[in-house]
Structures are given as C-alpha cells and as structure tokens.
Amino acid sequence: MAGQTGLQPILARQLPFWDRLTPRERALVLERSGMVHYDPGQNIRGRSMECVGTLLVQQGSLRIYLLSDEGREVTVYRVGPGEICILAAACVLDGIDFDMQIDAEEACEAILIPADLFSTLTEENIYVENFSYKLASEQFSAVMDAVQRMLFLSLEQRLAAFLIDESGRTGSPDIRLTQGQMARAIGSAREAVSRILKQMAADGVVVPFRGGVTIADKAALYRLL
C-alpha cells in the first residue's frame, strides 16, 4: 500500500500505542497502511481466507459472527467508527485462533494495517503486544457471551437481549434491522423471529415499522431475561 502521511493524525488518535512506537515503526505503519473500502455484505474474513490485518473502522460497520456447518449464523458483535477489529488479524497472535467470519454490514471505510506488519510490531514492541492481547481477550469474551446465550437462553430471551443490546449500541429505541438480519444475529430462522415480534407487538413491547421495530417497553424486555 502506498504511504499516506495524511493518515498519521487518525492513527495517532485511534491507536493507543502510537506514542510508544519507535520512529522506524511509525514510518513502517505509515508506509504500509492505507484506506480500504468494503461494500455492504462483502466477506472480509472467512474460513478459507488469508489473514487480513488490523482494521481501524472510520465509517460504516463490520459484523463479526459464528457460522455453523449447517450455515446458521450468530452475530457476536459489531465494530463501528472509531473502533478497532483485531480478530481480522487473530492469526498473528500466538495461542489465539478464532474461527470467526467478518462481513461489512454496510458500506465500510477502514484503515488496514497488514497482517505481516502487525505481526512484526507485536513481536518487537511490548506495548503493541499488550494492546493486541488485551483487545483480543475482550473480543473473545463477546464470543463466549454469544455462545452462552445460544446454550442457555430461549429464543424469546435471545431476541429480547439482542434488542436491548442493539438499542444500547445505537442509543436509540429504533432497531433498524429487518427480521432476517435479527434472525441471523441470534442464530434463528426469520419465521421464528417474526412470530415472536408479532407477539411482542401485541403485548405492546415493540412497535413494528418498515425495516425494523421501535422498543416501546424496555422494562418488559428486561423482565423476559
């Protein structure tokens, strides 16, 4: 990738370890990193794909999810503007190997630090190593939380938890996701999600609109949990 010195202010702001890099390391990051664009739905990391690198999201969002052999999807978490996706470079972290899928949920712009460069930084700089494993551990916790929900919560409870989490993530009671997207997020079928949402609407918990629902009674969702 061509060097882009215009990226320096963004890297300095978004990378907690930027000030701990040596002048040579900073020069390498600026030389090798660059902006990438992903179209909505584009797969960035899959089972048969090479390690990508570390992604610093600027616009849009990435969806990290588990994919079963039967093709069922369970969304683990999302990475939005100002956040870092380390699992796209998990292959360079010793002892951490996540079988994660990563898609662009919407049109996404990100700064990509290539995997081989990030691996070198991790090996040579203790601050990069500490940051990498800390963030990977936090994101792995989200993986475990998703698995626990699948194992121990009913479908209605999983949907309630998802609606609460999504509302908290966006800061809005409006959940602008289709029933199919919600179903993929919780590892279910669209028809099952549709049935539960209809009951929630009848109970006054949510108000449907085209392309999503509005949470009308968040307390009721908490009671379901």
Side-chain angles (χ1 to χ4, degrees), residues 39-155:
D39 295 323
Q42 182 175 345
N43 185 241
I44 299 169
R45 183 179 190 273
R47 290 174 176 172
S48 61
M49 299 177 70
E50 295 182 358
C51 194
V52 178
T54 299
L55 292 164
L56 285 62
V57 178
Q58 306 303 305
Q59 297 180 19
S61 64
L62 304 177
R63 183 172 74 98
I64 290 81
Y65 61 99
L66 299 169
L67 180 65
S68 72
D69 292 336
E70 295 77 28
R72 291 179 61 193
E73 298 179 6
V74 180
T75 299
V76 176
Y77 62 92
R78 294 174 174 83
V79 180
E83 298 178 326
I84 299 173
C85 181
I86 196 80
L87 294 189
C91 51
V92 307
L93 303 176
D94 292 338
I96 297 181
D97 184 15
F98 301 108
D99 190 13
M100 293 281 106
Q101 313 292 308
I102 302 176
D103 287 355
E105 191 165 43
E106 52 190 343
C108 184
E109 301 283 345
I111 297 174
L112 172 63
I113 303 176
D116 63 326
L117 173 58
F118 195 74
S119 176
T120 299
L121 294 175
T122 301
E123 292 172 0
E124 296 182 353
N125 191 304
I126 188 64
Y127 296 101
V128 180
E129 182 183 35
N130 288 344
F131 165 81
S132 301
Y133 281 101
K134 181 177 183 294
L135 184 57
S137 296
E138 291 173 355
Q139 296 183 349
F140 180 66
S141 295
V143 176
M144 296 307 298
D145 184 57
V147 172
Q148 287 178 338
R149 288 186 181 186
M150 286 291 295
L151 292 175
F152 302 117
L153 296 184
S154 67
L155 179 57

